[in-house]
Amino acid sequence: MLFSADAMSGSIRLAQTQPAQPPAAAPSPAQPAADATADAQAPGDEPIGNVAAVTGIATVIRNKDSVPLKLKDDIFLNDVLQTSANSSLGVTFNDATTFHLSANSRITVDSYVYEDGGQQNAALFDVAKGTVAFVAAAVAKTGDMKISTPTATLGIRGTTGLIEVLEGASATSRNNVAIKLYPDPDGKVGRIEVNDRAGARIGFLTQGASGFAIRGGGGMRVAAVPLTISPQQALRDQGFVRQVHSAQNVGRQVVTEQRALRRANPASNNPNRTNQPRQPGPQRQNGSPPRPGSPQPGQLNRPGQQPPGAPDRQGPQQQPGVQPRPGLPPQPGVPPRAGQPQQPGVRQGAPGLQRPGLQNKPPLQQRRPALPAPKGKPRKERH
């Protein structure tokens, strides 16, 4: 039995009656497109959307890692997007399709194929829990867009909608999923087709501010029961709808900007790009401090040798082109700095100071002034 619900008039209209088809005999009409989506979509190496709005704490589970999300962050295929308490998240995809996740919500990007102007566009999003508003765009208008829930799969035909999934919802519980249809920003109303998890059609929505409650369990076949939306519920829903429409306006600009940045800087798209390792060897640029113990051009690498006047430590020799430190003798071919006196000779180190690797030389003996020869005893003259 197929129902079309119009909550604005309060009436429920019986649209069509069909015998229930076995699940195996009623495959989803868009199942081939979903398979083509999985085959055509490349692995999640290119962004397919961006964060358009975020408040509080929102995260993405990617490659088993949970990463906090911020404005303009890239979104990839197979990402699991979720919000914490008192948080919200707006995500816009490359075709301008936008989702708004309220607090404690989670969705997964199962598949996404979009080519500007293409006719084979397709997407599948899974709403696992929470209240999620969405506004469809090019994929729904030029291809096949689906949203799955624990009890039903929705075919989106270019419209704005709201999905509510209670915690722990499943096909065997009652009143666990609500689906609502609202007008787009331009006032137009699209269409939401509702199928059970086996693919059998159970209803469709074509009127603004209308909805279904998906019921099942207890041996009952899953059914779409029209909702009566109270004024209080409609007011709350309109707040979610305004937020998703606002996120779409911002998201269009963000997606365009980020796409232009990726095209202008293709090397920055690879998240696995790392800096090249340094090549081994003593070569270094002029003006940079040399590594300890590295030989210098034209100098002998004497173990433990210290430059004259340097502190008592093992260190490198002065490089060509580098100004000598104060107190050091100038290097050959290098003019001394302004104000630096020319040091004649080599200055002796501190007394008693041991230098590693060099034998201590005995201190130089200063030459004493020559002493006059001792006067001998006066000779006795022989007479």
Side-chain angles (χ1 to χ4, degrees):
M1 183 175 296
L2 299 180
F3 290 94
S4 175
D6 184 354
M8 296 295 292
S9 62
S11 62
I12 302 175
R13 180 171 64 257
L14 182 63
Q16 184 178 356
T17 302
Q18 293 180 349
Q21 298 293 333
S28 172
Q31 186 65 36
D35 294 340
T37 297
D39 295 337
Q41 178 66 55
D45 54 355
E46 289 294 331
I48 58 175
N50 294 94
V51 174
V54 60
T55 60
I57 301 175
T59 58
V60 57
I61 299 177
R62 182 181 299 147
N63 298 327
K64 300 182 180 180
D65 295 327
S66 180
V67 181
L69 287 172
K70 61 183 182 299
L71 186 64
K72 298 185 179 182
D73 275 354
D74 291 334
I75 302 300
F76 295 85
L77 181 67
N78 298 321
D79 278 355
V80 179
L81 310 173
Q82 56 188 10
T83 55
S84 302
N86 302 319
S87 304
S88 64
L89 174 67
V91 174
T92 299
F93 292 88
N94 292 344
D95 71 312
T97 295
T98 302
F99 284 81
H100 171 80
L101 286 70
S102 62
N104 299 315
S105 299
R106 183 171 70 244
I107 70 172
T108 302
V109 186
D110 285 337
S111 66
Y112 184 87
V113 175
Y114 172 69
E115 181 183 359
D116 191 11
Q119 299 299 319
Q120 301 298 323
N121 299 321
L124 174 61
F125 306 95
D126 179 76
V127 179
K129 69 172 184 176
T131 300
V132 177
F134 65 90
V135 52
V139 167
K141 297 176 181 179
T142 62
D144 182 42
M145 176 178 169
K146 287 186 172 61
I147 298 177
S148 64
T149 72
T151 57
T153 300
L154 313 179
I156 310 301
R157 301 296 174 256
T159 191
T160 298
L162 186 70
I163 301 173
E164 296 175 279
V165 179
L166 298 179
E167 185 75 26
S170 67
T172 59
S173 58
R174 294 174 178 269
N175 298 333
N176 49 28
V177 175
I179 303 164
K180 302 174 185 178
L181 173 65
Y182 286 97
D184 288 337
D186 58 4
K188 295 181 179 180
V189 179
R191 175 186 175 98
I192 297 178
E193 299 171 355
V194 185
N195 304 319
D196 62 17
R197 297 287 291 184
R201 181 70 51 80
I202 58 178
F204 56 88
L205 299 172
T206 58
Q207 300 294 325
S210 63
F212 282 129
I214 308 302
R215 294 182 178 178
M220 297 175 55
R221 185 172 180 266
V222 175
V225 179
L227 280 174
T228 301
I229 303 175
S230 67
Q232 293 80 6
Q233 290 176 335
L235 185 63
R236 186 204 64 162
D237 293 348
Q238 289 172 6
F240 293 135
V241 170
R242 284 194 298 268
Q243 287 177 315
V244 73
H245 289 167
S246 176
Q248 185 187 47
N249 292 334
V250 176
R252 291 179 192 270
Q253 300 177 3
V254 172
V255 168
T256 301
E257 292 174 359
Q258 296 301 107
R259 184 183 302 172
L261 288 176
R262 288 193 297 269
R263 290 176 178 175
N265 303 279
S268 64
N269 296 339
N270 185 3
N272 298 321
R273 181 173 59 89
T274 57
N275 294 329
Q276 296 296 328
R278 293 182 177 179
Q279 297 297 329
Q283 295 84 1
R284 297 180 70 85
Q285 296 180 355
N286 290 336
S288 60
R291 296 181 179 177
S294 60
Q296 301 301 319
Q299 296 181 358
L300 296 178
N301 186 17
R302 298 178 181 176
Q305 183 176 3
Q306 302 298 322
D312 184 18
R313 59 180 181 181
Q314 293 185 356
Q317 302 295 329
Q318 188 72 21
Q319 287 193 15
V322 181
Q323 296 294 337
R325 290 178 292 178
L328 295 181
Q331 298 294 328
V334 179
R337 289 185 293 182
Q340 182 179 3
Q342 189 73 18
Q343 300 290 335
V346 179
R347 188 177 58 183
Q348 297 293 334
L353 190 62
Q354 301 291 333
R355 295 183 177 179
L358 293 181
Q359 297 180 356
N360 294 326
K361 297 181 180 180
L364 298 177
Q365 300 293 334
Q366 296 182 357
R367 299 184 61 183
R368 299 180 181 179
L371 297 178
K375 297 181 180 181
K377 296 181 180 181
R379 295 179 179 179
K380 296 181 180 181
E381 297 181 358
R382 296 181 181 180
H383 297 283

